Amino acid sequence: MSNEGRLQACKAWRAGVKSAQHRTMDACTSRYAETYARWQRDPEGFWAEAAQAVDWITPPKKVFDAKAGVYGRWFVGGVCNTCWNAVDRHIMNGRGEQPAIIYDSPLTDQKRTLTYHRLLVETQVLAGILRNFGVEKGDRVVIYMPMVPEAVIATLACARIGAIHSVVFGGFAAKELATRIDDARPKAILSASCGLEPGRIVSYKPLLDEALKLASHKPDACLILQRPEQEATLIAGRDYDWAKLRDEAFVYARLAYDCTPVAATDPLYILYTSGTTGVPKGVVRDNGGHMVALQWSMRNLYGVVPGEVYWAASDIGWVVGHSYIVYAPLLYGCTTILYEGKPVGTPDAGAFWRVISEHGCVAMFTAPTAFRAIKKEDPQGKLLGQYDLRKFRTLFLAGERADPDTVQWAERLLKKPVLDHWWQTETGWAIAGNPAGLGQLPVKYGSAAVAMPGYQIDVVDDTCKPMPANKIGSMVVKLPLPPACLPTLWQQDDRFRESYFSEFPGYYKTADAGFKDEDGYIHVMSRTDDIIKVAGHRLSTGSIEDVLSSHKDVAECAAIGIADRLKGEVVCGFVVLKAGV
């Protein structure tokens, strides 16, 4: 089908789906309680409505098929392409000159802006290169890259031709990289000569070479981005100069002009969560449900609109980078910031304020650790006064528990909402949060706020019986999981069932411990294996760390359990003090 034909088919389908019971998002998302209740009443209708934001080549035959997959599959029968939705359609809608990616690297003293049109051209070219190396729909491609625009282009090029990408955090040791190569069995690997850290160069290519010696699987080709800070030696017949291929590729880029149609249930990517020994767990993300949930979250959770600048200060090697540096902002038509630097040391603790001010960022998402580092170096926030943050609206924290002291410190400093939320590599987007787009709820310090539509969160004991309010237990999610959550582990359905569904029948095990309070707010306190049992008392590391961090001179802290013959375990706490103390 032509590009114009796809647009017409999509518009026709949207017109057919809208009805009295499927109201438009504009009419029904003003309040969280109403939205969550609407999902509870009609889950399939809720997600069918959200799916109108996606361009479908073929509309789904079923919104949810409970008989498909391990626990059911979303948007069965639908045909789509993630790259089309993230890039092409914005150009078709007249927004090709809008910035798509702002690359900001204090480590190289470089800034670069790619419009949606430029991003399309670069993605087409790399897609053509991959096809020339024989990469086809369903083939895997490992991406082992630093935080450079080519890393984003690589993910989109794979999505464009229906290849399954697996991003491995840049700088991972050779042995860990080898285990992922053997599990994914990629046809090609995209990498760089090096990555950069404050004051040092991380040589990627020697790590890749060693990994390929250790791995039993050998890719057909490795494309290497040579960085001026350190060039790598290429191995003839296996390694190819990425930039040279790019310069030559414009003559055949037309081969990859059209996006490859894929099923909504086909894998978009594999992201490995753990496994330094044995076979790591490869979280699979599908195409259709992933797009639907991420687009919904940009407006309703993060409260941004297309055209605004959004920044997830993470790395593309982690799930936050996949979801909220690459896919969600581009699917939604925002401008995403790709930052190659640190919260401190590049050059100082004002680095984040500079980026927000310079690029007009309206919402930022990062880990609490980043703000604890800033608080340690500049506890009074003196560097903030050098920058204009008038466009900035909301700071979101996730990735670990946001201790109340750090949240309150950031609130006082920014005079803007600081909102914690909770999710996992497996879910791909928020399980619980404070929905700025639906209307912010009251903040409870130490809480990730409330369940997002799609998630029924229960707190249970070891026998799966409900725990009373304010009592710590295992946090579980009632099946089925919503769109964008993992449908399985890569080629390991049995391990998927055993790891996530066997302990609490009918539920997904998050492996997080916490409680719900009398208002239904979610308090995630620790991992279930981080509960410390002292003389029969169950103590959460999160609660102990709250006490430690409440001291005015403590910048960061941790609590662990140490074996004790009498009490079973005793608590040991560690603190890092603020600068100047």
Side-chain angles (χ1 to χ4, degrees):
M1 185 184 292
S2 69
N3 294 337
E4 293 289 352
R6 288 173 185 167
L7 282 176
Q8 293 305 316
C10 181
K11 289 175 181 176
W13 179 72
R14 285 179 181 146
V17 169
K18 289 179 181 178
S19 66
Q21 64 207 106
H22 288 134
R23 294 169 293 167
T24 64
M25 297 299 286
D26 288 335
C28 64
T29 57
S30 59
R31 291 183 5 182
Y32 165 78
E34 292 175 357
T35 304
Y36 192 80
R38 189 162 52 89
W39 163 73
Q40 288 179 309
R41 288 194 305 269
D42 183 10
E44 291 190 26
F46 182 92
W47 290 116
E49 184 177 347
Q52 295 175 47
V54 171
D55 280 6
W56 299 94
I57 299 169
T58 302
K61 292 180 173 61
K62 283 188 174 182
V63 176
F64 182 73
D65 186 347
K67 296 180 180 179
V70 174
Y71 63 82
R73 298 300 302 271
W74 290 96
F75 306 112
V76 172
V79 179
C80 56
N81 184 277
T82 294
C83 184
W84 166 271
N85 278 275
V87 185
D88 301 59
R89 66 167 171 168
H90 301 307
I91 298 165
M92 296 290 290
N93 290 327
R95 299 170 58 206
E97 296 312 305
Q98 177 194 312
I101 300 171
I102 297 173
Y103 169 60
D104 188 310
S105 174
L107 293 172
T108 62
D109 197 26
Q110 289 185 357
K111 298 184 183 73
R112 179 182 169 199
T113 298
L114 278 71
T115 64
Y116 273 98
H117 183 266
R118 188 72 224 170
L119 180 60
L120 173 62
V121 171
E122 295 292 344
T123 301
Q124 288 174 332
V125 168
L126 183 56
I129 292 170
L130 291 173
R131 277 188 166 175
N132 270 20
F133 279 109
V135 178
E136 301 289 345
K137 177 180 175 180
D139 289 336
R140 277 77 61 206
V141 175
V142 164
I143 300 170
Y144 184 61
M145 296 283 294
M147 288 287 286
V148 292
E150 288 80 3
V152 178
I153 293 164
T155 64
L156 294 169
C158 290
R160 191 171 193 83
I161 60 176
I164 303 164
H165 66 71
S166 184
V167 180
V168 179
F169 179 72
F172 247 35
K175 182 180 177 183
E176 283 65 53
L177 177 57
T179 62
R180 287 150 175 77
I181 290 170
D182 277 339
D183 193 59
R185 302 184 66 80
K187 198 153 197 178
I189 295 178
L190 306 181
S191 188
S193 57
C194 68
L196 303 175
E197 294 286 340
R200 70 187 184 102
I201 295 174
V202 181
S203 300
Y204 284 14
K205 184 56 166 52
L207 292 168
L208 175 59
D209 290 341
E210 179 62 23
L212 289 174
K213 288 179 183 177
L214 295 171
S216 59
H217 174 79
K218 310 299 179 186
D220 292 349
C222 296
L223 276 61
I224 307 299
L225 180 70
Q226 298 280 23
R227 303 193 74 185
E229 291 78 15
Q230 182 187 79
E231 293 202 358
T233 301
L234 303 185
I235 297 174
R238 188 198 74 186
D239 299 342
Y240 298 86
D241 187 305
W242 185 327
K244 183 178 179 182
L245 290 175
R246 175 194 174 278
D247 292 343
E248 296 170 350
F250 282 96
V251 294
Y252 59 76
R254 181 65 61 176
L255 292 174
Y257 184 87
D258 287 327
C259 296
T260 299
V262 299
T265 52
D266 281 344
L268 171 66
Y269 69 74
I270 306 164
L271 180 58
Y272 290 97
T273 63
S274 61
T276 55
T277 60
V279 179
K281 291 195 294 186
V283 167
V284 173
R285 196 81 64 214
D286 65 13
N287 278 271
H290 177 250
M291 288 193 285
V292 171
L294 291 195
Q295 291 213 141
W296 187 92
S297 74
M298 286 297 288
R299 174 177 179 174
N300 296 286
L301 176 58
Y302 298 105
V304 298
V305 299
E308 291 188 318
V309 180
Y310 179 90
W311 181 22
S314 181
D315 189 284
I316 62 159
W318 310 128
V319 69
V320 172
H322 282 61
S323 292
Y324 291 105
I325 295 176
V326 182
Y327 286 113
L330 297 179
L331 288 167
Y332 195 54
C334 289
T335 300
T336 184
I337 296 175
L338 185 72
Y339 178 69
E340 188 181 32
K342 301 294 182 183
V344 298
T346 55
D348 55 33
F352 277 11
W353 317 137
R354 176 194 66 78
V355 174
I356 292 170
S357 173
E358 190 170 317
H359 303 304
C361 176
V362 301
M364 180 189 188
F365 173 4
T366 192
T369 293
F371 271 77
R372 286 194 286 264
I374 295 169
K375 181 175 68 171
K376 177 181 182 297
E377 294 299 317
D378 184 20
Q380 303 305 315
K382 295 178 181 178
L383 292 169
L384 178 63
Q386 301 176 19
Y387 302 100
D388 179 2
L389 270 62
R390 280 178 293 182
K391 287 187 177 181
F392 188 67
R393 294 197 297 267
T394 322
L395 171 65
F396 294 90
L397 300 175
E400 62 198 357
R401 188 165 183 274
D403 59 282
D405 185 66
T406 296
V407 173
Q408 291 170 303
W409 176 84
E411 276 183 344
R412 290 193 298 269
L413 193 64
L414 292 168
K415 297 179 175 59
K416 303 289 173 72
V418 178
L419 306 178
D420 190 13
H421 60 319
W422 167 53
W423 51 294
Q424 301 178 325
T425 298
E426 288 86 350
T427 65
W429 67 292
I431 304 172
N434 197 326
L438 295 177
Q440 183 188 320
L441 299 171
V443 171
K444 290 192 178 187
Y445 299 115
S447 171
V450 293
M452 288 295 98
Y455 297 96
Q456 178 184 317
I457 304 168
D458 292 327
V459 180
V460 299
D461 65 13
D462 292 343
T463 65
C464 206
K465 291 182 179 178
M467 298 290 287
N470 298 306
K471 294 293 184 181
I472 290 178
S474 294
M475 309 197 76
V476 295
V477 178
K478 188 173 179 60
L479 294 177
L481 294 173
C485 291
L486 79 170
T488 191
L489 297 174
W490 178 247
Q491 297 184 329
Q492 297 184 77
D493 282 357
D494 289 342
R495 186 182 183 190
F496 180 52
R497 292 186 184 94
E498 177 63 28
S499 297
Y500 297 103
F501 308 124
S502 62
E503 189 172 346
F504 303 105
Y507 288 96
Y508 161 79
K509 182 181 78 171
T510 69
D512 281 320
F515 63 91
K516 286 202 290 186
D517 66 21
E518 57 280 355
D519 297 319
Y521 273 56
I522 308 298
H523 299 253
V524 184
M525 304 307 295
S526 63
R527 298 293 284 173
T528 52
D529 56 4
D530 285 339
I531 294 292
I532 302 170
K533 294 184 180 180
V534 180
H537 298 283
R538 289 166 57 88
L539 305 177
S540 80
T541 54
S543 297
I544 297 164
E545 288 162 3
D546 279 352
V547 176
L548 296 175
S549 66
S550 67
H551 192 283
K552 63 182 179 63
D553 293 331
V554 172
E556 193 157 6
C557 63
I560 64 169
I562 296 178
D564 180 80
R565 181 180 297 179
L566 178 63
K567 296 183 178 182
E569 288 181 289
V570 292
V571 178
C572 182
F574 299 85
V575 297
V576 177
L577 301 181
K578 294 176 182 176
V581 175

